[in-house]
Each structure stands twice: as C-alpha cells, then as structure tokens.
Amino acid sequence: MTAPADTRMSVQLTVNGTEHEIELDTRTTLLDTLREHLKLTGTKKGCDHGQCGACTVIVNGERINSCLSLAVQHQGDEVTTIEGLGTPDNLHPMQAAFVKHDGYQCGYCTPGQICSAVSVLEEIRKGVPSHVTDDLTGTMQASNMEMRERMSGNICRCGAYSNIAEAMAEVAEA
Ligand code: FES
Ligand code: FES
C-alpha cells in the first residue's frame, strides 16, 4: 500500500559510490531502503530489532545496524554495503579471508559480519577504545580479545566465531 503524500519524503543517499534520490515513506528503515527499494539484498534482515547484527552496513565510515535507523536520518550520507566492499572477481581482503578461513556455514550473518569486521579493524587502527581496552595510552593492538568484544553484536547461529576471528587476525596482520 502506498503511504499518504504527507508521510513521504525525498532522500538522497550515496550507496556503494552511486547517488540515489528516493521517495520514501518517512518510517522506512535504512535496511528496508537498501533491500526493498535499491534491491541490494546482500544486507540481511535477521531480528529487525538491533540484536543480531545481520543488517550491519558502513555509513560515513562507521558501522551501524541499518534496521535501527530510518533512511531519512541519512540524508546525504555515504553507505557501503557488502556489495560495495568487493566483487566475486575482486574480493575485499576481509571477504577473501572469510573464504580462506571458512568463516561461515549458512552465510546468512556473513555480510553483516564482514562489514562489521572491516569497521572493527578501522576502529582499532584509529584507537577507539572498547570495554576490554586496558591501556588507553599505547598503540592499540588488534588482539583476539579486542576483536571478539567488538564483534559481540554480530550473532552467528552456525557458530563460525573462531574462524571469523582467524580471518580478522589475518587481515589485521596484513
Ligand atoms: Fe538489524 Fe538484527 S536485523 S540487528
Ligand atoms: Fe550461519 Fe552465521 S554462518 S548464521
């Protein structure tokens, strides 16, 4: 059903380098905008309540749960989804590492895991502390504990956690 005109608004987003101007019901989440309007179905809807991380995308360089965010909050923002990180012929290093280390089984959580993992290494590189950072003065290390803590919002029902951590460690070392 089409929403009444007074609940609709034009939203401008740059997604994976392409500019879009979309007329949306103002109640539309960023997740539904990506999946239903832009047909970028790589980003997954798991819980739709901010509990699982399957919908993680990168907005202006930081990861967010796209199910918890309305598209109208992102006027002019730059969004990167799993489709924008790499292609089958030219994988992002994190995508290649997930393949190498078998960091998935069903794969449903994987796009969110990979977007999150890429952002986690960037957070560590920038020195953004987490709950387990014990030294706020030195150079932050991409330790197993740092990575596990930061990935705790990305749930994997298949339990691929150790392999995901190995994939992240390889990219962090590189
Ligand atoms: Fe967004 Fe689960 S679908 S956190
Ligand atoms: Fe199946 Fe994570 S690989 S939920």
Side-chain angles (χ1 to χ4, degrees), residues 31-174:
L31 174 60
D32 285 343
T33 303
L34 294 170
R35 289 182 55 84
E36 309 299 333
H37 294 265
L38 299 180
K39 308 301 178 195
L40 291 168
T41 53
T43 306
K44 299 296 186 247
K45 183 181 282 190
C47 63
D48 212 16
H49 282 84
Q51 302 293 306
C52 73
C55 64
T56 305
V57 296
I58 303 169
V59 177
N60 298 337
E62 293 183 0
R63 57 191 172 137
I64 65 163
N65 287 338
S66 60
C67 71
L68 289 185
S69 199
L70 296 174
V72 292
Q73 294 174 271
H74 295 286
Q75 198 68 262
D77 282 357
E78 296 207 6
V79 182
T80 303
T81 69
I82 191 70
E83 292 94 340
L85 279 182
T87 63
D89 293 333
N90 186 23
L91 294 178
H92 183 283
M94 191 65 77
Q95 291 172 313
F98 266 61
V99 172
K100 178 178 169 187
H101 291 275
D102 217 7
Y104 48 82
Q105 284 184 40
C106 75
Y108 195 83
C109 72
T110 311
Q113 300 276 5
I114 291 177
C115 286
S116 222
V118 168
S119 294
V120 161
L121 296 191
E122 188 58 17
E123 287 163 17
I124 294 172
R125 191 188 66 75
K126 289 182 188 161
V128 179
S130 78
H131 286 301
V132 300
T133 307
D134 51 10
D135 179 5
L136 297 177
T137 57
T139 305
M140 195 172 290
Q141 300 301 319
S143 65
N144 185 272
M145 191 61 82
E146 274 291 350
M147 292 193 286
R148 282 177 181 266
E149 162 61 20
R150 288 167 195 265
M151 292 296 288
S152 60
N154 287 82
I155 308 301
C156 176
R157 282 188 169 238
C158 301
Y161 298 115
S162 345
N163 295 1
I164 291 170
E166 281 174 21
M168 290 179 69
E170 178 171 305
V171 177
E173 277 168 30

